[in-house]
Short mmCIF file of all heavy atoms in Angstrom, two decimals:
data_model
loop_
_atom_site.label_atom_id
_atom_site.label_comp_id
_atom_site.label_asym_id
_atom_site.label_seq_id
_atom_site.Cartn_x
_atom_site.Cartn_y
_atom_site.Cartn_z
N TRP A 27 2.95 -1.42 0.54
CA TRP A 27 2.05 -1.62 -0.60
C TRP A 27 1.79 -3.10 -0.86
O TRP A 27 0.78 -3.46 -1.46
CB TRP A 27 2.65 -0.96 -1.85
CG TRP A 27 2.34 0.50 -1.92
CD1 TRP A 27 3.01 1.53 -1.34
CD2 TRP A 27 1.23 1.09 -2.61
NE1 TRP A 27 2.40 2.72 -1.63
CE2 TRP A 27 1.31 2.49 -2.42
CE3 TRP A 27 0.19 0.57 -3.39
CZ2 TRP A 27 0.39 3.37 -2.96
CZ3 TRP A 27 -0.72 1.46 -3.94
CH2 TRP A 27 -0.62 2.83 -3.71
N ARG A 28 2.68 -3.95 -0.43
CA ARG A 28 2.45 -5.39 -0.59
C ARG A 28 1.15 -5.80 0.09
O ARG A 28 0.32 -6.52 -0.49
CB ARG A 28 3.63 -6.17 -0.01
CG ARG A 28 3.49 -7.67 -0.10
CD ARG A 28 4.64 -8.38 0.58
NE ARG A 28 4.42 -9.81 0.50
CZ ARG A 28 4.76 -10.57 -0.54
NH1 ARG A 28 5.34 -10.03 -1.58
NH2 ARG A 28 4.51 -11.86 -0.53
N ASP A 29 0.95 -5.34 1.31
CA ASP A 29 -0.29 -5.65 2.02
C ASP A 29 -1.49 -4.96 1.37
O ASP A 29 -2.60 -5.50 1.37
CB ASP A 29 -0.18 -5.21 3.48
CG ASP A 29 0.54 -6.24 4.34
OD1 ASP A 29 1.15 -7.16 3.76
OD2 ASP A 29 0.50 -6.13 5.57
N HIS A 30 -1.26 -3.78 0.83
CA HIS A 30 -2.34 -3.06 0.14
C HIS A 30 -2.93 -3.91 -0.98
O HIS A 30 -4.15 -4.04 -1.11
CB HIS A 30 -1.80 -1.74 -0.42
CG HIS A 30 -2.66 -1.08 -1.45
ND1 HIS A 30 -3.73 -0.27 -1.11
CD2 HIS A 30 -2.63 -1.12 -2.80
CE1 HIS A 30 -4.31 0.17 -2.23
NE2 HIS A 30 -3.66 -0.33 -3.25
N PHE A 31 -2.09 -4.52 -1.79
CA PHE A 31 -2.57 -5.33 -2.90
C PHE A 31 -3.11 -6.67 -2.45
O PHE A 31 -4.11 -7.17 -2.99
CB PHE A 31 -1.46 -5.51 -3.94
CG PHE A 31 -1.18 -4.26 -4.72
CD1 PHE A 31 0.01 -3.59 -4.57
CD2 PHE A 31 -2.13 -3.74 -5.58
CE1 PHE A 31 0.26 -2.42 -5.26
CE2 PHE A 31 -1.89 -2.57 -6.29
CZ PHE A 31 -0.69 -1.90 -6.13
N THR A 32 -2.48 -7.27 -1.45
CA THR A 32 -2.99 -8.54 -0.94
C THR A 32 -4.37 -8.37 -0.34
O THR A 32 -5.24 -9.24 -0.48
CB THR A 32 -2.02 -9.12 0.10
OG1 THR A 32 -0.72 -9.24 -0.48
CG2 THR A 32 -2.47 -10.49 0.57
N GLN A 33 -4.59 -7.24 0.33
CA GLN A 33 -5.91 -6.97 0.90
C GLN A 33 -6.98 -6.90 -0.18
O GLN A 33 -8.13 -7.29 0.03
CB GLN A 33 -5.89 -5.65 1.67
CG GLN A 33 -7.20 -5.31 2.37
CD GLN A 33 -7.51 -6.27 3.51
OE1 GLN A 33 -6.78 -6.33 4.49
NE2 GLN A 33 -8.58 -7.04 3.38
N ARG A 34 -6.61 -6.44 -1.35
CA ARG A 34 -7.57 -6.34 -2.45
C ARG A 34 -8.10 -7.73 -2.84
O ARG A 34 -9.29 -7.90 -3.06
CB ARG A 34 -6.91 -5.66 -3.65
CG ARG A 34 -7.86 -5.22 -4.73
CD ARG A 34 -7.12 -4.52 -5.87
NE ARG A 34 -6.65 -3.21 -5.48
CZ ARG A 34 -5.91 -2.42 -6.28
NH1 ARG A 34 -5.55 -2.86 -7.48
NH2 ARG A 34 -5.53 -1.23 -5.87
N LEU A 35 -7.22 -8.72 -2.91
CA LEU A 35 -7.66 -10.08 -3.23
C LEU A 35 -8.48 -10.66 -2.09
O LEU A 35 -9.49 -11.34 -2.33
CB LEU A 35 -6.47 -10.98 -3.53
CG LEU A 35 -6.80 -12.45 -3.83
CD1 LEU A 35 -7.69 -12.58 -5.05
CD2 LEU A 35 -5.52 -13.27 -4.01
N GLU A 36 -8.06 -10.40 -0.86
CA GLU A 36 -8.81 -10.90 0.29
C GLU A 36 -10.22 -10.30 0.32
O GLU A 36 -11.19 -10.99 0.66
CB GLU A 36 -8.08 -10.54 1.58
CG GLU A 36 -8.80 -10.92 2.86
CD GLU A 36 -9.02 -12.41 3.01
OE1 GLU A 36 -8.14 -13.20 2.62
OE2 GLU A 36 -10.09 -12.80 3.53
N SER A 37 -10.34 -9.05 -0.07
CA SER A 37 -11.64 -8.38 -0.06
C SER A 37 -12.51 -8.79 -1.23
O SER A 37 -13.75 -8.73 -1.14
CB SER A 37 -11.45 -6.86 -0.06
OG SER A 37 -10.71 -6.43 1.06
N GLU A 38 -11.89 -9.18 -2.33
CA GLU A 38 -12.66 -9.56 -3.52
C GLU A 38 -12.00 -10.75 -4.22
O GLU A 38 -11.28 -10.58 -5.21
CB GLU A 38 -12.80 -8.38 -4.49
CG GLU A 38 -13.76 -8.66 -5.62
CD GLU A 38 -14.24 -7.40 -6.31
OE1 GLU A 38 -14.07 -6.31 -5.75
OE2 GLU A 38 -14.81 -7.51 -7.40
N PRO A 39 -12.21 -11.97 -3.72
CA PRO A 39 -11.57 -13.15 -4.29
C PRO A 39 -11.89 -13.38 -5.77
O PRO A 39 -11.13 -14.04 -6.46
CB PRO A 39 -12.12 -14.30 -3.43
CG PRO A 39 -12.54 -13.65 -2.15
CD PRO A 39 -13.02 -12.29 -2.53
N GLU A 40 -13.01 -12.82 -6.25
CA GLU A 40 -13.40 -13.03 -7.64
C GLU A 40 -12.43 -12.40 -8.64
O GLU A 40 -12.49 -12.71 -9.82
CB GLU A 40 -14.80 -12.46 -7.88
CG GLU A 40 -15.92 -13.35 -7.35
CD GLU A 40 -15.94 -14.72 -8.03
OE1 GLU A 40 -15.95 -14.75 -9.27
OE2 GLU A 40 -15.93 -15.73 -7.33
N LEU A 41 -11.52 -11.53 -8.17
CA LEU A 41 -10.61 -10.91 -9.14
C LEU A 41 -9.62 -11.93 -9.71
O LEU A 41 -8.88 -11.63 -10.64
CB LEU A 41 -9.90 -9.70 -8.55
CG LEU A 41 -8.87 -9.83 -7.43
CD1 LEU A 41 -7.51 -10.25 -7.94
CD2 LEU A 41 -8.75 -8.50 -6.71
N GLU A 42 -9.62 -13.15 -9.17
CA GLU A 42 -8.84 -14.23 -9.79
C GLU A 42 -9.42 -14.59 -11.16
O GLU A 42 -8.69 -15.04 -12.05
CB GLU A 42 -8.83 -15.46 -8.89
CG GLU A 42 -8.07 -16.65 -9.47
CD GLU A 42 -8.09 -17.86 -8.56
OE1 GLU A 42 -8.53 -17.75 -7.39
OE2 GLU A 42 -7.65 -18.94 -9.01
N PHE A 43 -10.71 -14.38 -11.32
CA PHE A 43 -11.40 -14.85 -12.52
C PHE A 43 -11.92 -13.74 -13.42
O PHE A 43 -12.25 -13.98 -14.57
CB PHE A 43 -12.58 -15.74 -12.11
CG PHE A 43 -12.21 -16.83 -11.17
CD1 PHE A 43 -12.57 -16.77 -9.83
CD2 PHE A 43 -11.46 -17.92 -11.60
CE1 PHE A 43 -12.22 -17.78 -8.94
CE2 PHE A 43 -11.10 -18.93 -10.73
CZ PHE A 43 -11.48 -18.86 -9.40
N ARG A 44 -12.00 -12.52 -12.91
CA ARG A 44 -12.55 -11.43 -13.72
C ARG A 44 -11.91 -10.12 -13.31
O ARG A 44 -11.39 -9.98 -12.20
CB ARG A 44 -14.06 -11.35 -13.56
CG ARG A 44 -14.51 -10.99 -12.15
CD ARG A 44 -16.02 -11.05 -12.01
NE ARG A 44 -16.44 -10.50 -10.70
CZ ARG A 44 -17.70 -10.50 -10.27
NH1 ARG A 44 -18.64 -11.04 -11.03
NH2 ARG A 44 -18.00 -9.98 -9.10
N SER A 45 -11.97 -9.16 -14.20
CA SER A 45 -11.41 -7.85 -13.92
C SER A 45 -12.08 -7.24 -12.71
O SER A 45 -13.29 -7.37 -12.51
CB SER A 45 -11.59 -6.93 -15.13
OG SER A 45 -11.33 -5.60 -14.79
N ILE A 46 -11.29 -6.56 -11.90
CA ILE A 46 -11.84 -5.89 -10.73
C ILE A 46 -12.81 -4.78 -11.15
O ILE A 46 -13.69 -4.40 -10.39
CB ILE A 46 -10.67 -5.31 -9.89
CG1 ILE A 46 -11.13 -4.94 -8.49
CG2 ILE A 46 -10.01 -4.13 -10.58
CD1 ILE A 46 -9.99 -4.55 -7.56
N HIS A 47 -12.64 -4.28 -12.37
CA HIS A 47 -13.51 -3.23 -12.91
C HIS A 47 -14.49 -3.87 -13.90
O HIS A 47 -14.09 -4.47 -14.88
CB HIS A 47 -12.67 -2.17 -13.63
CG HIS A 47 -13.38 -0.91 -13.94
ND1 HIS A 47 -14.47 -0.86 -14.79
CD2 HIS A 47 -13.18 0.37 -13.52
CE1 HIS A 47 -14.89 0.40 -14.88
NE2 HIS A 47 -14.12 1.16 -14.11
N PRO A 48 -15.81 -3.75 -13.66
CA PRO A 48 -16.78 -4.45 -14.50
C PRO A 48 -16.77 -4.05 -15.97
O PRO A 48 -17.12 -4.86 -16.83
CB PRO A 48 -18.13 -4.10 -13.85
CG PRO A 48 -17.87 -2.86 -13.06
CD PRO A 48 -16.46 -2.98 -12.59
N SER A 49 -16.35 -2.84 -16.28
CA SER A 49 -16.39 -2.38 -17.68
C SER A 49 -15.32 -3.03 -18.54
O SER A 49 -15.39 -2.96 -19.78
CB SER A 49 -16.25 -0.86 -17.74
OG SER A 49 -17.33 -0.22 -17.10
N TYR A 50 -14.31 -3.68 -17.91
CA TYR A 50 -13.20 -4.26 -18.68
C TYR A 50 -13.26 -5.78 -18.71
O TYR A 50 -12.24 -6.43 -18.93
CB TYR A 50 -11.87 -3.81 -18.08
CG TYR A 50 -11.61 -2.33 -18.21
CD1 TYR A 50 -12.07 -1.45 -17.24
CD2 TYR A 50 -10.91 -1.81 -19.29
CE1 TYR A 50 -11.84 -0.08 -17.34
CE2 TYR A 50 -10.67 -0.45 -19.41
CZ TYR A 50 -11.15 0.41 -18.43
OH TYR A 50 -10.92 1.76 -18.54
N ARG A 51 -14.42 -6.34 -18.50
CA ARG A 51 -14.53 -7.81 -18.44
C ARG A 51 -14.75 -8.45 -19.81
O ARG A 51 -14.78 -9.68 -19.90
CB ARG A 51 -15.64 -8.20 -17.46
CG ARG A 51 -15.24 -7.90 -16.02
CD ARG A 51 -16.33 -8.10 -15.02
NE ARG A 51 -15.89 -7.68 -13.69
CZ ARG A 51 -16.68 -7.49 -12.64
NH1 ARG A 51 -18.00 -7.71 -12.77
NH2 ARG A 51 -16.20 -7.10 -11.49
N ASP A 52 -14.91 -7.64 -20.83
CA ASP A 52 -15.13 -8.18 -22.18
C ASP A 52 -14.20 -7.55 -23.19
O ASP A 52 -14.58 -7.29 -24.33
CB ASP A 52 -16.59 -7.97 -22.60
CG ASP A 52 -17.57 -8.72 -21.71
OD1 ASP A 52 -17.37 -9.93 -21.52
OD2 ASP A 52 -18.52 -8.09 -21.21
N VAL A 53 -12.95 -7.31 -22.81
CA VAL A 53 -11.96 -6.79 -23.75
C VAL A 53 -11.75 -7.82 -24.86
O VAL A 53 -11.59 -9.02 -24.57
CB VAL A 53 -10.63 -6.49 -23.03
CG1 VAL A 53 -9.56 -6.03 -24.02
CG2 VAL A 53 -10.85 -5.43 -21.95
N PRO A 54 -11.76 -7.41 -26.12
CA PRO A 54 -11.69 -8.39 -27.23
C PRO A 54 -10.28 -8.93 -27.49
O PRO A 54 -9.65 -8.65 -28.51
CB PRO A 54 -12.19 -7.57 -28.43
CG PRO A 54 -11.81 -6.16 -28.11
CD PRO A 54 -11.96 -6.03 -26.62
#
């Protein structure tokens, strides 16, 4: 599972700055 999660960042580097799910990017 370690590689499973690391692959997620490699596939979408923007998750460093925003939620991977677009609906949760403006939680108050």
Side-chain angles (χ1 to χ4, degrees):
W27 276 86
R28 179 184 178 84
D29 278 13
H30 164 83
F31 287 112
T32 304
Q33 183 67 64
R34 193 179 288 177
L35 178 61
E36 176 62 37
S37 300
E38 189 162 344
E40 283 299 308
L41 68 80
E42 179 181 350
F43 308 107
R44 64 185 188 184
S45 167
I46 196 172
H47 194 297
S49 297
Y50 294 88
R51 291 173 185 167
D52 297 309
V53 176

